[in-house]
Amino acid sequence: MSHAPTPRPLRLAAAGPLTGAMTVPGDKSISHRALMFAGLAVGESRIRGLLEGEDVLATAAALRAMGATIERSAEGEWRVHGVGVGGLLQPQVALEMGNSGTSTRLLMGLVASHPIVATFTGDASLSKRPMGRVIEPLARMGAGFAAAPGDRLPLTLRGRCPAVPIDYTLPVASAQVKSAVLLAGLNTPGITRVREPVPTRDHSERMLRGFGAELTVEETGEGRVISLHGEAELRAQDIVVPGDPSSAGFWLVAASIVPGSDVTVRNVLMNPTRTGLLTALRLMGASIETMAEREVGGETVADLRVRHAPLTAIEVPPDLAPSMIDEYPILFVAAAFARGTTVARGAHELRVKESDRIAAMAAALGLAGLTVREHEDGLSIEGRDGDPLPGTANGTTVASLLDHRIAMSMAVAGMHSARGIAIDDAAPIATSYPTFLDTATSLGAATTWLNR
């Protein structure tokens, strides 16, 4: 599932306004969860709009290895015959997660309350990322772990059945940890509770209820309390996956910074736990119009029309961090073209993503000609007041560090640069957005593969 080992260097350059309309791939968070819940449901679920990137395909492969039947039709519809809660089978091979932290952490929760043993492996990037924050609550539920030093992959998990229900307060805002505990709670007798002082994306809660789980969410003075009744029976569903707001974010920023641009992104998920970037861009003065807002499968979706507009630096409200944690790299790019110095902090989580995204973006933007100050939890970026970035010098490439969001963010920066921006490896983009470069070209960007 990991991308090809041979790097694919790429240069993105300015080529006039970006114009047109497009849809972005299905939301990655919802795609992962749709497969997992369908894999535990009784009957056949049908999924349309599934993101077919490497991360989601890693989830599908793991579920097949544990007994679910998952097939894709020629028309792009996915059909999943689930095994029922408690019905996961012992995998005969290691579960290869590629670059997908979401697959790993959520599937760990799934396995933790089943009487099976599973080994999780991943690529070089994923194998550097700590899993301790998921191990801790799942171990309290009774699961056993043998991990590489630092609670890293490769990792072997021995599930416990019956597991022990817990009442768990999240020490950091993490939808992945929350979801892992809830997934373990599905096959655990009694009530499993997760308390989150800071709200995080709530796709697991919405979708679990849709599949028939008995789940309640209570708003309290200390935050949200999610209670799940275990030994659930999930019922097969038909699911339409809306467009990924994280993927849409690249075009919202690209059209905002490239003069003369006018781009419409259709069918974007508008869940309020996922719209932090939209809020931040509007605070900076971006021209983004919400059109045709509607409900699809329990989630709000809309079309977004974005036109070039001058951006002004802001101090990004830290309370936006949970609703835009994956979008900080592309927000940093927007800040690069604003008037004044943007301060974006409150994002400690970026240090433990596919790469250290704070350090990676500081280095990449610096190579492209920007003045950047690195903080422990974010960046301060001196914007260019709409002027193009100088770009990378001949023979110089910015390092993507096997991180798809770094690669795509710097690709967008290259769309308004004097010399273009060369990226050392664009191959990781396939993990979440396989058609990104095709879309860039169709909108008018100039892309050139470089020889090594």
Side-chain angles (χ1 to χ4, degrees):
M1 286 297 166
S2 58
H3 68 74
T6 302
R8 300 194 69 199
L10 177 75
R11 179 181 297 276
L12 268 289
L18 304 174
T19 58
M22 98 289 286
T23 56
V24 292
D27 183 73
K28 187 163 72 153
S29 295
I30 292 178
S31 292
H32 282 300
R33 289 161 174 81
L35 285 173
M36 291 183 196
F37 299 151
L40 289 179
V42 175
E44 180 186 83
S45 296
R46 299 185 179 190
I47 307 170
R48 289 186 288 125
L50 189 82
L51 170 62
E52 296 183 3
E54 292 178 358
D55 284 10
V56 174
L57 298 181
T59 291
L63 291 167
R64 288 190 189 101
M66 292 186 286
T69 301
I70 303 176
E71 299 172 335
R72 181 189 187 279
S73 73
E75 293 75 33
E77 180 180 77
W78 291 72
R79 298 184 178 188
V80 182
H81 289 267
V83 297
V85 172
L88 292 180
L89 303 178
Q90 173 67 45
Q92 300 304 306
V93 296
L95 303 180
E96 170 54 52
M97 298 289 97
N99 189 240
S100 181
T102 303
S103 301
T104 307
R105 295 185 177 107
L106 269 60
L107 287 167
M108 284 168 60
L110 207 63
V111 171
S113 57
H114 283 74
I116 59 178
V117 178
T119 297
F120 294 83
T121 59
D123 69 8
S125 170
L126 182 59
S127 297
K128 295 177 182 177
R129 295 160 64 184
M131 298 293 157
R133 64 177 57 177
V134 178
I135 290 174
E136 193 270 330
L138 297 181
R140 286 177 52 182
M141 298 180 78
F145 295 87
D151 290 331
R152 290 171 165 81
L153 302 188
L155 177 152
T156 298
L157 190 164
R158 183 177 297 275
R160 173 173 172 176
C161 187
V164 179
I166 60 172
D167 188 320
Y168 188 70
T169 300
L170 293 175
V172 295
S174 173
Q176 291 182 0
V177 177
K178 171 178 67 175
S179 297
V181 175
L182 293 175
L183 280 162
L186 282 173
N187 196 41
T188 299
I191 299 176
T192 295
R193 286 191 176 88
V194 179
R195 302 174 187 269
E196 53 174 10
V198 178
T200 65
R201 57 186 63 179
D202 62 353
H203 307 306
S204 292
E205 297 96 299
R206 289 172 182 255
M207 197 172 291
L208 280 168
R209 281 192 292 239
F211 272 89
E214 186 177 348
L215 180 146
T216 61
V217 179
E218 179 186 3
E219 301 286 350
T220 73
E222 289 74 42
R224 301 171 71 215
V225 180
I226 303 103
S227 302
L228 174 70
H229 291 254
E231 299 180 311
E233 181 172 321
L234 303 186
R235 299 182 295 273
Q237 301 293 313
D238 288 347
I239 299 169
V240 178
V241 181
D244 193 327
S246 297
S247 298
F250 298 109
W251 308 120
L252 300 183
V253 171
S256 293
I257 65 175
V258 177
S261 294
D262 186 347
V263 171
T264 298
V265 190
R266 299 191 182 105
N267 197 43
V268 180
L269 173 69
M270 297 294 286
N271 182 300
T273 66
R274 300 288 301 284
T275 55
L277 177 66
L278 188 60
T279 300
L281 290 175
R282 283 173 168 161
L283 289 173
M284 297 174 77
S287 173
I288 304 173
E289 180 184 358
T290 300
M291 305 184 300
E293 192 167 278
R294 53 207 183 271
E295 291 289 323
V296 177
E299 296 277 7
T300 302
V301 301
D303 302 336
L304 299 175
R305 183 182 183 187
V306 55
R307 285 166 278 194
H308 171 256
L311 302 180
T312 302
I314 62 170
E315 186 164 333
V316 180
D319 60 3
L320 286 181
S323 62
M324 60 179 285
I325 197 66
D326 286 333
E327 289 80 57
Y328 268 89
I330 193 60
L331 176 69
F332 296 154
V333 171
F337 296 93
R339 175 164 52 85
T341 299
T342 295
V343 180
R345 305 191 65 170
H348 301 85
E349 182 79 3
L350 295 183
R351 295 286 187 186
V352 293
K353 288 288 187 177
E354 282 85 334
S355 65
D356 178 342
R357 287 179 173 165
I358 294 173
M361 286 301 295
L365 290 171
L367 279 176
L370 212 63
T371 300
V372 179
R373 181 184 175 196
E374 184 176 336
H375 308 290
E376 180 57 33
D377 60 345
L379 295 178
S380 294
I381 300 169
E382 292 185 23
R384 293 183 57 82
D385 196 11
D387 290 340
L389 290 178
T392 51
N394 286 339
T396 302
T397 59
V398 300
S400 67
L401 302 178
L402 300 177
D403 190 325
H404 54 127
R405 298 203 190 278
I406 302 300
M408 287 186 282
S409 295
M410 293 311 298
V412 169
M415 295 176 194
H416 191 37
S417 61
R419 293 188 297 253
I421 292 178
I423 302 161
D424 67 343
D425 188 5
I429 291 172
T431 64
S432 68
Y433 199 158
T435 59
F436 174 82
L437 295 174
D438 291 337
T439 298
T441 302
S442 72
L443 294 176
T447 62
T448 306
W449 294 104
L450 304 177
N451 295 323
R452 297 291 286 184

